[in-house]
């Protein structure tokens, strides 16, 4: 009886570990995704692991964010499923989920027949809008009109 209980416990632990790795995304290589790049003047508030949306549906995750010291731009790596094709004239923009919500990348599809290949860059981008900058600009502009 003790051997049977022990086997069930071991089987349960192995099953739990397998599910944790698969559901947690710790499995290593993402086999069903490819990476595109997008360059932004500002990616303020965007974080690794943020959602990528197209038509209001989450289609991927932000894989990495780095700084290009030559162009003074943020380079964002986008992990997108292989079955979703992005046109060369698509627009990537950093959006907010709400006033104080997190940031995500929205991809607006283009009309071109040319599809971006893995590793290529989305050229048309819209940077993050900082709420603090907008409020500051409004306050200082309104105080100067005395």
């Amino acid at each position: 009886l003790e051997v049977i209980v022990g086997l069930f416990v071991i089987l349960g632990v192995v099953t739990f570990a397998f599910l944790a790795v698969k559901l947690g995304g710790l499995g290593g290589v993402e086999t069903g995704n490819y990476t595109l790049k997008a360059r932004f003047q500002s990616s303020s508030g965007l974080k690794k692991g943020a959602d990528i949306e197209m038509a209001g549906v989450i289609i991927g995750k932000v894989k990495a964010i780095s700084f290009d010291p030559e162009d003074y731009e943020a380079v964002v790596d986008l992990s997108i499923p292989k079955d979703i094709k992005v046109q060369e004239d698509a627009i990537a923009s950093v959006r907010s989920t709400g006033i104080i919500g997190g940031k995500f990348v929205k991809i607006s599809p283009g009309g071109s027949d040319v599809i971006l290949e893995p590793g290529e860059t989305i050229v048309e981008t819209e940077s993050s809008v900082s709420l603090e900058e907008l409020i500051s600009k409004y306050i200082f502009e309104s105080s100067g009109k005395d």
Side-chain angles (χ1 to χ4, degrees):
L1 181 64
E2 293 172 354
V3 172
I4 293 173
V5 171
L7 289 175
F8 275 116
V9 169
I10 291 172
L11 181 65
V13 169
V14 169
T15 302
F16 179 74
F18 175 76
L19 288 175
V21 168
K22 280 297 188 185
L23 295 177
L26 300 175
V29 179
E30 299 174 7
T31 56
N33 293 349
Y34 68 101
T35 301
L36 292 178
K37 294 186 180 299
R39 301 175 76 84
F40 296 96
Q41 292 295 318
S42 172
S43 64
S44 178
L46 189 65
K47 298 192 179 345
K48 179 180 174 182
D51 293 333
I52 301 169
E53 287 188 6
M54 186 179 271
V57 178
I58 297 171
I59 60 162
K61 298 283 184 188
V62 171
K63 193 173 183 179
I65 303 171
S66 59
F67 178 70
D68 181 359
E70 292 180 13
D71 294 326
Y72 297 101
E73 291 181 324
V75 180
V76 179
D77 292 346
L78 310 170
S79 179
I80 299 173
K82 288 184 180 180
D83 61 335
I84 296 176
K85 305 301 180 199
V86 178
Q87 296 89 350
E88 71 172 349
D89 61 345
I91 301 170
S93 53
V94 178
R95 298 288 175 96
S96 179
T97 57
I99 293 176
I100 57 172
K103 302 280 185 165
F104 67 95
V105 176
K106 176 184 176 188
I107 298 178
S108 302
S112 175
D113 291 334
V114 180
I115 303 298
L116 290 173
E117 296 295 323
E120 290 188 327
T121 301
I122 299 174
V123 178
E124 299 292 328
T125 60
E126 296 174 350
S127 295
S128 173
V129 176
S130 171
L131 184 61
E132 294 85 12
E133 288 178 17
L134 290 176
I135 292 171
S136 175
K137 183 176 179 182
Y138 176 75
I139 289 172
F140 288 118
E141 283 183 1
S142 64
S143 66
K145 295 181 181 181
D146 289 336

